[in-house]
Amino acid sequence: MSSSAWLIRGVRPYGEDAVDLLLRDGAIAEIGTRLQADDAEVLDAGGLIALPGLVDLHTHLREPGREDAETVQTGSRAAALGGYTAVHAMANTDPVADTAGVVEQVWRLGREAGLVDVAPVGAVTVGLAGAHLAELGAMADSPARVRVFSDDGFCVADPALMRRALEYVKAFDGVIAQHAEEPRLTQGAQMHEGELSARLGLAGWPSVAEEAIIARDVLLAAHVGSRLHVCHVSTRGSVDIVGRAKADGVAVTCEVTPHHLLLTDECVTGYDPLFKVNPPLRTAEDVEALRTGLANGTIDAIATDHAPHAMEDKECEWAMARPGMLGLEQALSVAVEAMIETGLLDWRELADRMSVRPARIGQLDGHGQPIEVGRPANLVLLDPDVRRVVNGADLASRARNTPYAQRELPARVVATFLRGRPTVLDAKAQL
Amino acid sequence: MKRHLLSAADLDLGDATLILDTTTQIDAALAGREVKKLPTLRGRTVVNLFFEDSTRTRISFELAAKRLSADVINFAAKGSSVSKGESLKDTALTLEAMGADAIVCRHSASGAPHRLAEWVQGSVINAGDGTHEHPTQALLDAYTIRRRLGRLDGVRVTIVGDVLHSRVARSNVVLLDTLGAQVTLVAPPTLLPVGVGSWPVEVSYDLDAVLAKADVVMMLRVQQERMNASYFPSVREYSRRYGLDARRMALLPEDAIVMHPGPMNRGMEIAAEVADSVRSTIVEQVSNGLSVRMAVLYLLLGGDSK
Ligand SMILES: [Zn+2]
């Protein structure tokens, strides 16, 4: 770790009163006004807001296997530029992260890149095939210390297998993160099933295919007394089910993506596969319910589902395109537009949904900590007052499949600190 | 008129009427002529880009272009998976470099002609995309109805069958609504899309109940494979409930006509004696298709050479 100290002048933690922050030895050493530290580098942060470094529960880094779309290095840079200090790398790589060897490899690549803490997610089943449990304990015991397990991309559809997975990970306090999609209800599905899919002639992905699995899984989690995390909830009904389960005391958490907070199925009208994603973009009514659910805490976290894809997998016919969109670099801006500018969340609450709770769900000690003396200096500094038009060519990701191209979004990450060391300064990555 | 014909929704009432009137003029101009050829599109290039086999539609467009004296290139992208070979975009850029003035595109993926239209300068004509639309089929159907019944405004059209997977139904619903006709859809509920409630149509599950009020019955092709996915229990049950046989045909008003876009499953959605009856316009639809496609090519390419 870098031993150099940083003095951040005039920054507003959580958008509150301006203070100086002194970062030293990886921690927040002092908070006050007119701090002095002759050995420290000074960053004038007037007008900027400081939040705890963001934590993503759902990132596809594509390495190993699809290094043409993203690598741990390029994805880490995108994450840092987006204000993240930790990301969970999803297991659907090639080979699949279903052994201690693969999760350890991804973890080491993350350490070498050094821009964010990369926490590998382990597959629930061997090869994501939904048939046999992967060696979850070995992954938990590896240096990668895996605590989140997911077959994301696929649903653990077999209820007996899901039950066993929920039970088994209790031994090391793991959590199953379910990609909720009843496969028999979504065969060949291309977009949200509704008025628009009927008009566009695209096979529908009905809301009930997500809700049925969530309903089943909260019942299973309650029955066996396990912790359940639901990936990327996208429908009003899903929010209702999770809300009721929480009220009943079930240990369930869930996440929503930035794109589901902003975009609707109307985006599909031109058949541009940049807007193809799984679960699909839903209706304005769903967007409203997701924002409300995030505001009242039913939804715990914003998670990007950052999914880089090579150009040829997007510049093609809708049905042949791969689902998924970039998210890391724009997530905070989208959150500001959807939640801050609408008055649904204040900055402290946004930090809760983008840092505190995701770190807790993923059990990442050292992340999601409050901005207080003695805490790890994992921070993002953002300018809330700028608005920028997104340009795909400017992105740090190797892929270009952003759904926000040419869209004007508020706020910009100016600096990111990982344990007191800047990974982003002046909106530029430091490696 | 817009530059492309991707959906029946690209046509307003004026556009649609112009196409139908132009078709009437083309039919009149060619009637009785020995050489059925007009010099209108000499020097222009029309590409038939068919990613899905459909001999009848391809031949119809090919003949239409040739009768307008255009140069025709048939570009059959063989094999069902385009992703294995050249991408749609590369194909588009190739055709663009060859100077295609119009690209007639048939594709198994809904929206493929929309994508194509973003990458080429020439006009793109959707000749059927997945389960989305087939606008020239709707135009030829409208032309057929107008010729037989003398009008479209207020005409009551009943469309029967696999609406969910039918591009013919989608284009017809949109175009017939534009032209002032009243559409009723009849199908088992499994073969109607979720969201049909927002379409400008009436919906019924009971064919017998609506036939007495139909000026036109349009039967859609039903693929037997749908049975395997439990859209209906058996061919026999489908045929009993939704097939048009002689008994049902007798329920129709006297002047009502029976249409089918082809190819037919005789004995399933339509009985042989119905398909071959005087009410049937099935053969006429084929010849009208040729004239309508001539009109579309003529109007989109503007006639004069570059
Ligand atoms: Zn997923």
Side-chain angles (χ1 to χ4, degrees), chain A residues 184 187 193-204 206 269-274 311-320, chain B residues 51 80-83 87-89 107-112 114-115 118-119 129-133 164 170 193-196 198-199:
Chain A
R184 290 285 294 144
Q187 283 186 342
E193 184 168 56
E195 275 179 31
L196 217 57
S197 63
R199 176 150 68 77
L200 296 176
L202 290 170
T269 306
Y271 296 95
D272 186 339
L274 283 178
M311 197 81 97
E312 63 270 21
D313 291 325
K314 284 293 188 182
E315 268 195 342
C316 59
E317 299 85 333
W318 181 276
M320 284 137 200
Chain B
F51 291 91
S80 56
S81 174
V82 196
S83 54
S87 73
L88 181 65
K89 184 171 186 182
H107 204 295
S108 59
S110 298
H114 286 74
R115 299 291 288 153
E118 289 167 27
W119 298 320
D129 63 328
T131 54
H132 178 226
E133 285 213 35
L164 179 62
R170 277 180 185 72
V194 166
V196 75
S198 65
W199 291 10

Side-chain angles (χ1 to χ4, degrees), chain B residues 18-41:
Chain B
L18 177 64
I19 293 171
L20 299 182
D21 292 348
T22 305
T23 309
T24 304
Q25 288 165 14
I26 286 171
D27 272 345
L30 291 177
R33 279 175 68 154
E34 226 165 83
V35 180
K36 293 196 181 299
K37 205 159 180 174
L38 302 170
T40 334
L41 295 185

Side-chain angles (χ1 to χ4, degrees), chain A residues 233-284:
Chain A
V233 295
S234 68
T235 78
R236 189 179 57 147
S238 298
V239 180
D240 287 347
I241 292 164
V242 171
R244 263 178 282 160
K246 283 189 168 184
D248 290 346
V250 180
V252 58
T253 54
C254 70
E255 68 191 33
V256 63
T257 70
H259 45 273
H260 286 111
L261 288 172
L262 191 68
L263 307 175
T264 67
D265 59 348
E266 290 288 335
C267 294
V268 181
T269 306
Y271 296 95
D272 186 339
L274 283 178
F275 299 103
K276 182 172 177 176
V277 65
N278 191 16
L281 299 176
R282 304 281 184 190
T283 67

